[in-house]
Amino acid sequence: LIGSALSVPVLYLFAAPTGASVALPALFASCWTALLPALLINIYITGLNQITDVEIDRINKPDLPLASGGLSVQQAQWMVGACLAGGLALGFHPACSSAAL
């Protein structure tokens, strides 16, 4: 999650035209519309991995929520599904598309 939170804004700035006169609030708002769906999809991918690897994580990473029993598989499935739905909904929403920039 930290990697996505750092890489998305940096890549976004690399893609911005050099010397472009863009209002700073518009730049932050535009970057946020790329960052939020990316973070939600990152949570989905990480959560899906943890759901499928519970037995392995009980041995190698016993402090993770699913491996330790702090979170049930059903709760994790709901959370992962919500993050997938939210990430896709925001990613395909017209306000978050490049046409809105």
Side-chain angles (χ1 to χ4, degrees):
L1 195 60
I2 294 171
S4 292
L6 294 174
S7 65
V8 169
V10 168
L11 290 172
Y12 187 83
L13 292 174
F14 277 139
T18 304
S21 59
V22 178
L24 201 53
L27 181 66
F28 285 130
S30 180
C31 185
W32 181 250
T33 62
L35 182 60
L36 188 56
L39 293 177
L40 288 171
I41 295 300
N42 186 290
I43 293 169
Y44 162 72
I45 293 168
T46 305
L48 187 61
N49 175 268
Q50 289 187 27
I51 289 170
T52 58
D53 290 343
V54 175
E55 295 302 320
I56 295 169
D57 288 342
R58 284 192 180 126
I59 296 166
N60 296 323
K61 300 176 183 178
D63 294 334
L64 291 175
L66 281 171
S68 68
L71 188 67
S72 73
V73 173
Q74 185 178 12
Q75 289 171 321
Q77 288 171 338
W78 278 102
M79 189 179 303
V80 163
C83 286
L84 175 62
L88 290 175
L90 288 173
F92 285 107
H93 191 278
C96 295
S97 72
S98 58
L101 304 176

